[in-house]
Amino acid sequence: MATEYKAERTLTGVFKEQSQVDSVVRRLLDRGVPRDHISVMGRNFQSESRISGFLTKKDVILGGLKNGAIFGSLFGSLLSLLTGVGVLFIPFVGPIVAAGPIGTILLGATSGALAGSAGAGLVSVLAAIGLPEEKAAIYQTRLQAGEFVVMAEVPADKTGELQLLLESAGGEEMHLTETALPRPCEGRCGGVEELSPEIRSHLSESAQKDFVKRYNAVYDDSQDAMQAEHEAWETIREQYDEDENGVWSKSKASV
């Protein structure tokens, strides 16, 4: 019987080239790290447009972005290996492609605190999930320069081995966080109390209930937590507007 994967820590590093990212992701998968525990952020395209929203892999395959057309040249086949692909405008960085669980975290952040931040940008999000601010600032700067950040959630007893793997593949500015990335729910969501604090703080009570309802409906059908999270956020965007504090609380009028 297969042993359940136990993600306990998060390794983060910077890679200069897309080819390095592709290589390290494949090597992590070969070492048994599940695709829904690998995240990639990158920005190596130019766009004057403020791209915002969230796309699933299906959306990318069927049409991608009308404005930008970045996916083929940015990650290529890498998109087929990871869970979910987010394209968001991050203050002081610009459009960021985020694949894997970090995409859901950024999606929640850009709907609230990050979008209204006074200048912290991506740094505030990375610090909130356990990275030192000085390291988060380095990651933000290097993303701005067109480099990539890879995050791998790993078992405690595999940390050293997998850190060496990232470093041997070209990883720089390595950092080890003593926890896995936060997720709204583990598996099916038992109620709003199971949503992460980051998510709850940006949703009204009514929006929290709608988030959980949509999340569970998608999860029951797909058994895919990342897909459920993505579609739950899409439901919030469709049904609510943000208030002046960045909380999704204003119900949109029914069409």
Side-chain angles (χ1 to χ4, degrees):
M1 187 172 67
T3 303
E4 181 181 357
Y5 187 81
K6 193 173 184 181
E8 299 170 298
R9 297 175 176 174
T10 304
L11 289 167
T12 306
V14 176
F15 293 82
K16 292 182 178 179
E17 305 291 338
Q18 181 269 328
S19 59
Q20 294 176 317
V21 176
D22 204 347
S23 173
V24 76
V25 167
R26 292 179 185 278
R27 291 172 64 183
L28 286 168
L29 291 168
D30 288 344
R31 295 290 184 90
V33 180
R35 67 192 187 100
D36 58 350
H37 289 284
I38 302 172
S39 296
V40 175
M41 292 184 286
R43 174 187 182 268
N44 69 346
F45 61 97
Q46 299 298 318
S47 174
E48 297 301 319
S49 302
R50 294 173 63 95
I51 306 170
S52 181
F54 207 88
L55 302 175
T56 65
K57 186 174 66 176
K58 180 185 71 173
D59 296 323
V60 175
I61 293 172
L62 292 180
L65 287 178
K66 301 297 183 184
N67 193 353
I70 60 168
F71 290 100
S73 62
L74 184 58
F75 289 123
S77 63
L78 188 63
L79 284 174
S80 66
L81 303 180
L82 302 180
T83 308
V85 180
V87 183
L88 308 103
F89 185 89
I90 307 296
F92 313 106
V93 181
I96 285 288
V97 172
I102 191 65
T104 299
I105 294 171
L106 288 175
L107 183 63
T110 53
S111 71
L114 177 58
S117 63
L122 184 63
V123 173
S124 62
V125 178
L126 297 180
I129 60 177
L131 275 73
E133 286 195 12
E134 61 271 18
K135 184 68 77 172
I138 291 171
Y139 293 155
Q140 174 168 299
T141 298
R142 295 190 67 166
L143 280 169
Q144 286 174 307
E147 298 179 4
F148 304 87
V149 172
V150 174
M151 309 176 85
E153 299 167 88
V154 303
D157 61 356
K158 297 288 186 180
T159 301
E161 169 191 343
L162 294 174
Q163 180 164 342
L164 285 174
L165 185 155
L166 265 68
E167 291 173 343
S168 68
E172 301 176 358
E173 295 291 348
M174 295 295 302
H175 181 76
L176 174 65
T177 307
E178 294 294 331
T179 59
L181 295 176
R183 286 167 168 76
C185 298
E186 293 293 337
R188 199 176 196 280
C189 199
V192 297
E193 66 279 357
E194 293 186 11
L195 295 175
S196 69
E198 294 84 359
I199 298 295
R200 294 182 67 182
S201 66
H202 300 315
L203 300 176
S204 66
E205 290 185 8
S206 176
Q208 290 176 33
K209 293 177 182 177
D210 287 336
F211 185 100
V212 170
K213 181 179 179 181
R214 180 57 178 163
Y215 173 95
N216 283 338
V218 176
Y219 184 81
D220 289 345
D221 183 58
S222 66
Q223 298 298 300
D224 186 331
M226 288 296 296
Q227 179 183 348
E229 292 167 18
H230 300 166
E231 296 203 22
W233 272 114
E234 279 302 312
T235 294
I236 296 302
R237 290 178 177 274
E238 291 169 1
Q239 296 183 4
Y240 293 87
D241 287 319
E242 294 174 274
D243 63 21
E244 61 277 7
N245 297 314
V247 177
W248 294 84
S249 62
K250 299 178 179 179
S251 296
K252 292 182 178 180
S254 299
V255 179

